[in-house]
Amino acid sequence: MTTDSADIRASRKMALELLLSDHAGDCVAPCQARCPAGLDIAGFVYELASGNPRRSLEVILDSLVLPGSLGRICPRLCEQGCRRCDLDEGLAIAGLHRYPVDLEQKKSEPFVPGRAASTGKRVAVIGAGPAGLAAAFYLQIKGHDCTIYDAQDEPGGMLRYGIPAYRLPREALEFEIEMIEKLGVHFQMNTRWGEDFCLEDLREEYDSVFIAIGAWKSQRLRCEGDELALSGIDLLEQVAKGEKPYLGDKVIVVGGGNTAMDAARTAIRLGTRRVRTFYRRTRQEMPCLMEEVEAAELEGVSIDYLLAPVKLQRDGDQLLLTCQRMELGEPDSSGRRRPVPIPDSDFQVECTAVVAAIGQSVEVSLAREQNIEVSAWGIASDLKTLETNIPGVFAGGDAVLGADLAIRAVAAGRVAATSIDQFLKGKPVVGLEEQAAVEMRAVSERERAEIFRRIELSSRPQLNLIESSRRLTSFDEIDLGLTDAQVSHEARRCMTCGCRKAGNCIMRQYATEYQADPYRFAGERRQFSQDTSHPEVIYEPGKCIMCDACVRIAAAAGEGLGVTTIGRGFQVAMGVPFDGPLAEGLTKAALRAVEACPTGALALRTGRSCDLGECASCPGASNEAST
Ligand SMILES: Cc1cc2nc3c(=O)[nH]c(=O)nc-3n(C[C@H](O)[C@H](O)[C@H](O)COP(=O)(O)OP(=O)(O)OC[C@H]3O[C@@H](n4cnc5c(N)ncnc54)[C@H](O)[C@@H]3O)c2cc1C
Ligand code: SF4
Ligand code: SF4
Ligand code: SF4
């Protein structure tokens, strides 16, 4: 009998899509879905709440390298998605994943992950920024031998030479790089692609190459006299290398992104009395995180909006910057409203230095010379696998995306490591396996009440900052991190969202295998609700697919009341006859019913929402805060 054909697969796929169309639940916690690295946030926070920071770090490193550094500088995309934002305040996730690294840093024998036996394969990575470091970390763990080539004296990329030490202290970054070094990754510093080696050399010597050269080409002001301006990243690089460039007492920084804010705050720390930032749009359009803007203002940086430079000239020992006022017009390709010059609005400002911080781009000429295709942003590589048009050569991070975020570079490094591993093993290169996932998206008021039924209001911890006098005169780290007590409290605020069976849901496995689209037939879905009356089992009717498995198991076990299918139409689901409590319907057969249930409809109270599957170290303690 034929059980597998194109038609059969298509009909199975459609059946799965219909089953998923009204499923009420989140496979993956909403915070995890927002982190570009897909960090198992509920999983690592659970370990922290259980008083197990080292295990927490192991869970983190499964998908996120440099968690201590990212805990300091990531714009925390995850926290905006945290379910608690709907109740009180989102969890301090970044601070929580910084914590176990800070603890390790104080130990005499810090944690180093285990490594698979050497495969004998060798990989060259160009660029020791977060993308290159992350790729080398995961490749090395998989047993491949990595060498990172970098033009600078020290590894870290923009984390070392761009982001100032008051946001990311060098010791914290170096500690995480040391972990990568201890895994056996070899660093070949002061070695520049295009000068000291060419791609052909690496392709001959290594089995695969990952290009992660970042976006280091500073954009000029594009106005008359712009050669008189300093570049923001050059200024930050000089300071990162221990130099103290003289800027004078009146500095104007042009730009509204991370580099602009960091350059302005650096100028303050170098002793400049008056630092102004000119941005050509308004505060709402600034690409920088608002808390960075507020921190700059707190330190004395003033920001002028809707201004653009049109001319820079010398005036004795000063500079004279001519600016034009702007107004916002129609949205441009970035979706932000385009700044349009206001005629006859020019005016002049005197200053001692002008810093251009209006963006960085990728040096693509090297790639072009090697016949690697490029895009409008940088080097072109496949979205899913990061392979370039040259087999065995991969590219990722800012080098592909253009100037972006460290977390996306780290995530790209892991994707590259997965693809390169597949390539080296002669498997199809498909990148990271993506599991099908359902999201609840908007929740009704009734569902909201159900989700927060047993959750008490509590606020997120206050930041522990150094005193303001030290801020202005030193590059000491501003945010000292969470205390032990704050971590313990904050970790317990996590509601361990996501499905308790995310790691072993049969319907999800099939949906992945058949590439089912959960939203193909999306319409009205069932309401999310939970029956928590049973001592061992949690029942979510919105996830029941009426397979009858639990009904048959209860009957075979001779349960008194047992369970049956109840209701009509959309509302049909498993239930206990005569509206009895679940604890009476499922007594001796409860655990077997949970095991047989193909979805997260029946799950153990102690089940974890994470994707760790059969994690041996799961303490299995019940989390009172769980919904
Ligand atoms: C001032 C500033 C502030 C920022 N603040 C934040 C922030 O707060 N949060 C955030 O998430 N992101 C921030 N970013 C962005 C973040 O730093 C980058 O997105 C991230 O570092 C990109 O990682 P990458 O590995 O792709 O590239 P990079 O970090 O740029 O690393 C590239 C590496 O390649 C090397 N390289 C370049 N060319 C060659 C060559 N020809 N041969 C050999 N080696 C070469 C470089 O020396 C460098 O080490 C900031 C960036 C800047 C500039
Ligand atoms: S890396 Fe950023 S987005 Fe990911 S969990 Fe950490 S703070 Fe959130
Ligand atoms: S409460 Fe915890 S699991 Fe739920 S969204 Fe927030 S951080 Fe994620
Ligand atoms: S086992 Fe029971 S609860 Fe689970 S899907 Fe089937 S009928 Fe529903």
Side-chain angles (χ1 to χ4, degrees):
M1 190 172 56
T2 307
T3 57
D4 199 2
S5 69
D7 285 349
I8 291 171
R9 290 185 81 79
S11 98
R12 282 184 188 145
K13 183 176 172 190
M14 187 189 286
L16 283 162
E17 286 167 340
L18 284 166
L19 283 173
L20 291 166
S21 66
D22 69 344
H23 203 71
D26 287 317
C27 294
V28 172
C31 54
Q32 179 174 352
R34 297 255 187 131
C35 171
L39 175 63
D40 172 16
I41 293 165
F44 95 77
V45 174
Y46 181 88
E47 296 297 347
L48 284 180
S50 312
N52 203 349
R54 182 161 280 188
R55 173 66 195 142
S56 171
L57 182 56
E58 288 179 54
V59 174
I60 293 167
L61 291 174
D62 274 348
S63 51
L64 187 76
V65 189
L66 308 174
S69 303
L70 286 167
R72 291 165 162 90
I73 57 130
C74 185
R76 309 189 304 267
L77 311 171
C78 56
E79 291 179 14
Q80 294 146 26
C82 173
R83 190 107 293 144
R84 278 204 89 113
C85 293
D86 254 5
L87 179 72
D88 40 39
E89 290 176 289
L91 219 73
I93 298 166
L96 288 176
H97 66 60
R98 163 184 171 174
Y99 175 77
V101 191
D102 285 358
L103 281 188
E104 288 297 321
Q105 206 179 332
K106 292 180 197 136
K107 290 187 184 160
S108 53
E109 281 189 36
F111 174 71
V112 180
R115 195 189 167 208
S118 175
T119 59
K121 300 283 183 190
R122 302 179 67 224
V123 181
V125 174
I126 313 178
L133 290 169
F137 175 89
Y138 288 111
L139 284 164
Q140 201 74 19
I141 281 182
K142 288 173 199 289
H144 309 304
D145 290 317
C146 286
T147 301
I148 307 186
Y149 291 83
D150 197 289
Q152 289 284 1
D153 303 342
E154 305 281 349
M158 280 301 184
L159 300 195
R160 180 188 290 270
Y161 294 108
I163 300 177
Y166 59 81
R167 290 209 285 134
L168 174 53
R170 297 299 165 252
E171 314 77 60
L173 175 65
E174 272 160 17
F175 174 73
E176 297 200 280
I177 294 174
E178 267 164 35
M179 182 197 281
I180 298 170
E181 231 171 343
K182 282 183 191 154
L183 266 173
V185 172
H186 184 66
F187 289 86
Q188 189 80 46
M189 302 309 295
N190 291 307
T191 315
R192 181 178 285 277
W193 175 26
E195 284 178 15
D196 302 306
F197 64 89
C198 64
L199 193 62
E200 277 315 305
D201 299 337
L202 297 189
R203 290 188 68 204
E204 269 170 33
E205 198 179 334
Y206 294 89
D207 299 291
S208 180
V209 179
F210 178 50
I211 304 172
I213 56 169
W216 281 58
K217 231 168 82 177
S218 189
Q219 277 177 32
R220 300 178 66 145
L221 288 182
R222 281 176 295 205
C223 71
E224 190 185 331
D226 67 358
E227 69 282 355
L228 296 172
L230 275 168
S231 122
I233 52 168
D234 284 354
L235 169 69
L236 294 167
E237 185 182 336
Q238 285 171 31
V239 175
K241 288 181 171 168
E243 295 166 30
K244 287 206 168 103
Y246 176 73
L247 299 172
D249 63 357
K250 276 181 280 174
V251 170
I252 293 174
V253 178
V254 182
N258 278 324
T259 308
M261 288 308 117
D262 282 338
R265 296 172 75 187
T266 294
I268 294 268
R269 284 163 175 78
L270 290 173
T272 300
R273 217 167 27 89
R274 174 122 206 250
V275 181
R276 297 174 73 181
T277 297
F278 289 180
Y279 179 53
R280 63 193 185 131
R281 291 183 162 102
T282 70
R283 196 176 178 92
Q284 285 71 45
E285 286 85 26
M286 283 178 94
C288 190
L289 210 61
M290 204 33 67
E291 64 193 43
E292 293 300 325
V293 180
E294 285 162 7
E297 287 174 325
L298 199 72
E299 290 168 8
V301 174
S302 66
I303 305 175
D304 294 77
Y305 302 96
L306 293 166
L307 290 185
V310 286
K311 187 175 174 184
L312 182 58
Q313 63 201 104
R314 262 201 203 291
D315 182 23
D317 57 354
Q318 304 255 334
L319 291 172
L320 204 56
L321 181 67
T322 308
C323 292
Q324 194 170 32
R325 297 198 188 278
M326 315 295 275
E327 60 189 353
L328 291 184
E330 293 301 308
D332 63 14
S333 56
S334 73
R336 293 175 304 167
R337 290 176 65 194
R338 188 191 301 273
V340 181
I342 301 176
D344 304 323
S345 62
D346 293 11
F347 66 99
Q348 290 184 323
V349 202
E350 270 188 2
C351 55
T352 49
V354 171
V355 180
I358 53 172
Q360 292 98 239
S361 57
V362 182
E363 179 56 82
V364 287
S365 57
L366 286 165
R368 272 211 189 99
E369 280 166 25
Q370 312 286 323
N371 297 322
I372 299 175
E373 284 168 13
V374 300
S375 72
W377 299 276
I379 297 172
S381 66
D382 183 87
L383 266 180
K384 187 143 170 31
T385 65
L386 299 186
E387 194 164 21
T388 65
N389 57 311
I390 300 185
V393 177
F394 297 76
D398 277 11
V400 166
L401 301 170
D404 194 44
L405 293 177
I407 175 58
R408 281 201 263 270
V410 163
R414 181 159 157 255
V415 172
T418 308
S419 297
I420 292 172
D421 181 58
Q422 291 158 349
F423 174 81
L424 296 176
K425 290 178 175 157
K427 295 181 181 169
V429 177
V430 292
L432 280 177
E433 191 209 340
E434 267 171 36
Q435 291 235 55
V438 182
E439 268 179 62
M440 264 207 290
R441 300 182 181 186
V443 293
S444 65
E445 259 317 299
R446 219 179 81 203
E447 288 176 318
R448 190 182 166 279
E450 179 74 8
I451 290 168
F452 297 119
R453 188 159 43 103
R454 296 187 300 143
I455 307 294
E456 279 177 22
L457 283 175
S458 71
S459 45
R460 93 192 231 138
Q462 294 287 318
L463 295 179
N464 301 305
L465 306 177
I466 58 166
E467 58 275 24
S468 50
S469 56
R470 250 170 82 202
R471 268 173 87 149
L472 304 184
T473 52
S474 76
F475 283 84
D476 291 351
E477 181 169 27
I478 296 173
D479 179 355
L480 300 172
L482 302 175
T483 63
D484 297 349
Q486 283 177 320
V487 166
S488 168
H489 174 263
E490 190 61 359
R492 285 185 167 77
R493 284 180 72 229
C494 180
M495 308 188 304
T496 328
C497 310
C499 180
R500 286 177 163 74
K501 277 210 182 150
N504 54 1
C505 168
I506 293 170
M507 188 162 74
R508 192 175 179 210
Q509 286 160 16
Y510 280 131
T512 304
E513 183 186 334
Y514 287 89
Q515 295 181 349
D517 172 4
Y519 303 110
R520 183 161 161 219
F521 301 111
E524 195 188 335
R525 66 157 167 78
R526 284 179 285 176
Q527 288 281 299
F528 172 83
S529 67
Q530 279 188 331
D531 181 341
T532 53
S533 62
H534 195 286
E536 291 167 298
V537 171
I538 290 194
Y539 174 48
E540 294 183 19
K543 294 179 182 171
C544 174
I545 57 169
M546 292 90 63
C547 71
D548 260 8
C550 58
V551 177
R552 279 180 275 116
I553 285 170
E559 292 277 15
L561 262 180
V563 288
T564 185
T565 357
I566 290 176
R568 282 168 182 276
F570 265 134
Q571 300 312 323
V572 78
M574 176 275 275
V576 182
F578 315 115
D579 264 346
L582 193 63
E584 286 179 22
L586 287 176
T587 56
K588 47 197 169 185
L591 299 187
R592 264 177 289 150
V594 168
E595 231 167 74
C597 178
T599 73
L602 282 174
L604 286 181
R605 262 184 179 287
T606 52
R608 296 263 309 270
S609 64
C610 59
D611 276 331
L612 292 178
E614 302 300 311
C615 165
S617 69
C618 178
S622 75
N623 182 353
E624 265 317 296
S626 295
T627 49

